[in-house]
Amino acid sequence: MPVRPTAPLILAATLTAAVGLTACGGGSGSDPDTVKVAYNRSTDNKIRFKDNHLAEVKKQFEKAHPGKKVKLIPIQAQDNDYATKVQQMMRSPKTAPDLVYEDTFRINSDIKAGYLRPLDDYLATWKSWDQFVDTAKAAAKAEDGKTYGVPDGTDTRGLWFNKEIFAKAGLPADWAPKNWDDVLDAARTIKKKVPGVIPLNVYTGKAPGETSVMQGFEMLLYGTGDAGAHPLYDPKAKKWVTGGKGFQDALAFLRTVYSEKLGPDISDALDPNVGTTVYSEWLPEGKLAIALDGSWLGQNWLKTGGKPWPEWSRTLGLAAMPTQHGQAPGKVSMSGGWTWAISAKSKNPDLAWKFIEQLQTKDNAVTWDVVDAQIAVRKDVARDPEYTSSMPGITFFTSLVKYTHYRPTTPVYPQVSTAIGEAMEAATTGDSSPEKAAASYDGQLKSIADGATVAAGRG
């Protein structure tokens, strides 16, 4: 699941009413000529990109398949509530949609619950599947080796830096750090030569939640060790990896940032809304030199965004987050994403698949990635001029897809994430050494995973 700034919470009564209405829409029986499509509608009533896009694809589909109909079932809710509602719908053939928008974050838990069906027979004869990059394909693959969803976009993460601050510090406008030391050295130089600004922001601690864990810790952890290593979860052994040297080194990096006062004040860093502060204040106001953050930040600074900042594309530079020692492949990123999946109790799986094919014509794939500021997961889309010119930085962030990693999608990951956040906070504040924080994490991990752990460095 992409860790993006969340929309304001809506009132519980409104949510219940909205979800209740859409549930009725899902129970239309088993009309063999109608495909029912459930998806999440933004809680911000001003945002209707997805609704408009799906309505257009519906028109295309019904024109291309005379006599067939598409019933769109929008569910207006925050991500957790959306997931709960869709799961409720998929439990019964009477309410199950044929097609459902699935977060890769939750796809394995829904597979385990028996809510989704494998798509391998369809994919085997679908020529467009060859256009999808391997990392995106893997995100929709279950532990049984079968694929249960077709991804429609992703996001990546890297280093945003203020070129004006860099110039004052005597640092290059084409900065490209080769290892962690290069990142820390740049932050130290800024602290010395440009007092009054925050040299580096790396998310940390419990309160920011998955923003800290994915965009902070895991961006570090997945840059340790050798290429192809499994520093958090070993999918072959089906076991969680304990906090070894790489885990401790990631915590030590955080400790260095905050003990040397290279980052924001710890009280600000541990604020649950720090992500909003980064894009709405620190970066546009020139208060932050380097931000380890996501590909979507630019959306906020467009004329249509929440914090218009016309100069952002000239003021900010972009650099890939390097691996710890510059070891292969040299760069690291983390990604989330959503997929289109067919429910196990669908009465019209073949028709649902045809709608996926319509959604994923090349033109429709380009349009979707442009309007929703998604990073392309298809090679043909990534080369398309409309896509490559859609927003400053889009080509850079697309180039990181081949270096990216996805979080483990096992059902207990949210609990593991919480334990990581606690270890981060302990190391950041100095309450524990990185070694002790990692040891505490190991104790929690063994309980969460019910003993299904493997020592770091094995597997």
Side-chain angles (χ1 to χ4, degrees):
M1 174 177 66
V3 185
R4 305 190 181 196
T6 55
L9 291 173
I10 58 178
L11 294 174
T14 304
L15 172 61
T16 302
V19 173
L21 286 172
T22 54
C24 296
S28 59
S30 55
D31 180 353
D33 294 322
T34 300
V35 57
K36 296 176 291 182
V37 181
Y39 66 97
N40 56 337
R41 169 180 281 168
S42 174
T43 56
D44 186 340
N45 289 321
K46 295 179 181 178
I47 299 176
R48 286 291 178 266
F49 298 135
K50 191 177 299 173
D51 303 80
N52 296 339
H53 181 69
L54 289 173
E56 176 58 31
V57 177
K58 165 184 160 74
K59 290 180 183 177
Q60 296 172 7
F61 182 84
E62 291 176 351
K63 182 177 181 181
H65 300 84
K68 306 299 182 184
K69 298 294 181 184
V70 177
K71 182 168 188 174
L72 298 178
I73 308 171
I75 299 174
Q76 187 170 16
Q78 295 286 351
D79 285 348
N80 287 342
D81 295 315
Y82 166 73
T84 298
K85 186 60 206 174
V86 166
Q87 288 163 353
Q88 291 173 344
M89 293 170 69
M90 290 192 290
R91 288 173 187 163
S92 168
K94 293 182 179 179
T95 57
D98 299 296
L99 196 61
V100 61
Y101 204 39
E102 274 277 326
D103 193 335
T104 55
F105 178 55
R106 295 186 175 90
I107 198 166
N108 262 327
S109 59
D110 281 354
I111 293 165
K112 187 175 182 180
Y115 296 147
L116 306 177
R117 69 174 64 208
L119 305 180
D120 300 76
D121 289 345
Y122 298 113
L123 296 172
T125 58
W126 188 41
K127 292 181 180 179
S128 293
W129 192 232
D130 291 338
Q131 293 291 339
F132 288 74
V133 297
D134 290 342
T135 50
K137 289 180 178 180
K141 185 174 287 189
E143 292 181 345
D144 63 8
K146 297 177 182 178
T147 299
Y148 288 78
V150 174
D152 67 354
T154 189
D155 48 32
T156 54
R157 287 148 178 82
L159 295 164
W160 297 77
F161 63 95
N162 187 306
K163 290 186 285 188
E164 294 176 356
I165 296 174
F166 266 50
K168 293 178 183 178
L171 295 168
D174 59 350
W175 183 59
K178 302 300 183 186
N179 50 50
W180 289 3
D181 284 341
D182 285 353
V183 177
L184 292 173
D185 287 346
R188 291 176 181 124
T189 298
I190 292 162
K191 182 175 187 288
K192 180 179 179 181
K193 296 187 176 182
V194 194
V197 304
I198 302 166
L200 170 65
N201 182 66
V202 181
Y203 294 114
T204 190
K206 295 180 291 185
E210 191 64 4
T211 297
S212 292
V213 175
M214 183 182 185
Q215 289 172 217
F217 183 80
E218 289 174 5
M219 281 291 292
L220 295 165
L221 179 65
Y222 280 82
T224 65
D226 300 323
H230 301 289
L232 195 58
Y233 179 79
D234 187 334
K236 291 185 179 179
K238 296 184 179 180
K239 292 184 177 182
W240 290 91
V241 180
T242 55
K245 186 176 186 304
F247 195 100
Q248 294 169 26
D249 287 350
L251 293 178
F253 184 96
L254 290 169
R255 182 64 193 137
T256 297
V257 170
Y258 289 95
S259 65
E260 293 188 19
K261 300 189 183 303
L262 302 176
D265 289 342
I266 289 179
S267 60
D268 291 330
L270 301 182
D271 186 323
N273 298 312
V274 63
T276 300
T277 303
V278 167
Y279 78 77
S280 66
E281 297 178 28
W282 291 348
L283 282 173
E285 294 174 12
K287 296 177 179 178
L288 174 62
I290 307 168
L292 178 55
D293 223 305
S295 55
W296 59 87
L297 285 193
Q299 291 181 85
N300 301 291
W301 305 319
L302 299 175
K303 290 181 180 179
T304 55
K307 181 70 176 182
W309 179 22
E311 301 82 17
W312 73 271
S313 61
R314 296 188 300 274
T315 304
L316 298 179
L318 295 165
M321 181 64 187
T323 53
Q324 183 178 9
H325 304 295
Q327 73 272 29
K331 302 173 184 178
V332 64
S333 180
M334 296 296 299
S335 291
W338 290 72
T339 68
W340 288 103
I342 298 177
S343 65
K345 292 182 171 63
S346 166
K347 295 296 184 180
N348 301 315
D350 291 345
L351 199 60
W353 173 255
K354 289 183 182 298
F355 191 73
I356 291 179
E357 289 183 316
Q358 189 69 47
L359 280 165
Q360 281 296 327
T361 64
K362 192 235 180 179
D363 287 347
N364 282 338
V366 169
T367 298
W368 173 242
D369 284 350
V370 169
V371 299
D372 198 49
Q374 293 273 343
I375 299 300
V377 293
R378 290 177 53 146
K379 290 172 278 189
D380 52 356
V381 173
R383 294 189 297 264
D384 188 271
E386 182 183 352
Y387 171 79
T388 57
S389 63
S390 61
M391 182 184 293
I394 197 75
T395 302
F396 166 79
F397 281 111
T398 301
S399 74
L400 298 180
V401 170
K402 60 177 172 285
Y403 303 108
T404 207
H405 303 269
Y406 287 81
R407 294 162 291 176
T409 54
T410 68
V412 301
Y413 175 79
Q415 295 169 262
V416 174
S417 174
T418 298
I420 292 173
E422 292 175 1
M424 294 176 76
E425 186 156 326
T428 295
T429 60
D431 287 348
S432 293
S433 67
E435 293 76 18
K436 288 184 178 179
S440 177
Y441 166 78
D442 286 352
Q444 293 187 65
L445 182 66
K446 289 172 183 176
S447 175
I448 293 167
D450 196 23
T453 61
V454 59
R458 288 175 49 200

